[in-house]
Amino acid sequence: GEDVEQSLFLSVREGDSSVINCTYTDSSSTYLYWYKQEPGAGLQLLTYIFSNMDMKQDQRLTVLLNKKDKHLSLRIADTQTGDSAIYFCAESIRPWVNQGGKLIFGQGTELSVKP
Amino acid sequence: DGGITQSPKYLFRKEGQNVTLSCEQNLNHDAMYWYRQDPGQGLRLIYYSQIVNDFQKGDIAEGYSVSREKKESFPLTVTSAQKNPTAFYLCASSIRGTDEQYFGPGTRLTVT
C-alpha cells in the first residue's frame, strides 16, 4: 500500500544544518514534494524532485533522493528561527491515466530552531 | 494576486448541524482538493475534482459532500453523519494532469 513515514520532531541550533528524512513505499512515484506549514496556516510548496534525479539544490535547500532505498531528505543550510515549522514530504501516485495524481503525505516533522 | 481563499478561518458549530466550508481559487486551475488535518497526522484526502461538474471520493469521504458547479469554487459540506468533524480543513488546487498542488490558508472547524 501507499505509505509515507517521517520522524515527528527535530530540534537544531540557529546556524546549524537541519536534515529532515522521509521514506516512501510506492516505487512508481513520479514526483516527490516538500511542503512547509507554519502554525495555523496552509501548506507552502518548498521544492520538489523528479524521480529520475538524485539531487536538487535551491538556495539553502538541498533535496536528496535514494530511489533504491525509497528515501528522501531535505537539508536546510544555515537554519534560522524563521524556518521553525512543520515540514511534510509527499509522494505523487497516478492510478488514473491522463489525470492528476494523488499526493500521499507523511505525518510531518516539526522543526524547532533554538537561538 | 492569484491564490486560494478559504473562509472563514475559524468556524464553530453545534453537534448535529451541517456546515459548509468555502474554497475559491483564481488560479484558473481545473483540479481542486479537500484535505483534513488532525494533530500528529498527515493530510488525508476527503474529495477531489478534476473538472467542473465532476468529483470523486478520496480516502475519508464518509460524512462529507461536495459540489463543483464552477471552476473557481469547490465547497465542502460537513454533515451531521461525520462522527468526528473537529479538525483543520485544507483546500488545494492544481493544473489538471499535474501533481503540484497549491494550498489555501485552511479553516479550523470546532464542533461541540
Side-chain angles (χ1 to χ4, degrees), chain B residues 82-108:
Chain B
Q82 168 49 235
K83 291 187 175 62
N84 189 14
T86 294
F88 190 49
Y89 290 88
L90 288 157
C91 177
S93 70
S94 69
I95 295 170
R96 189 179 180 205
T98 72
D99 309 316
E100 198 169 311
Q101 293 181 19
Y102 293 87
F103 283 79
T107 292
R108 186 165 298 280

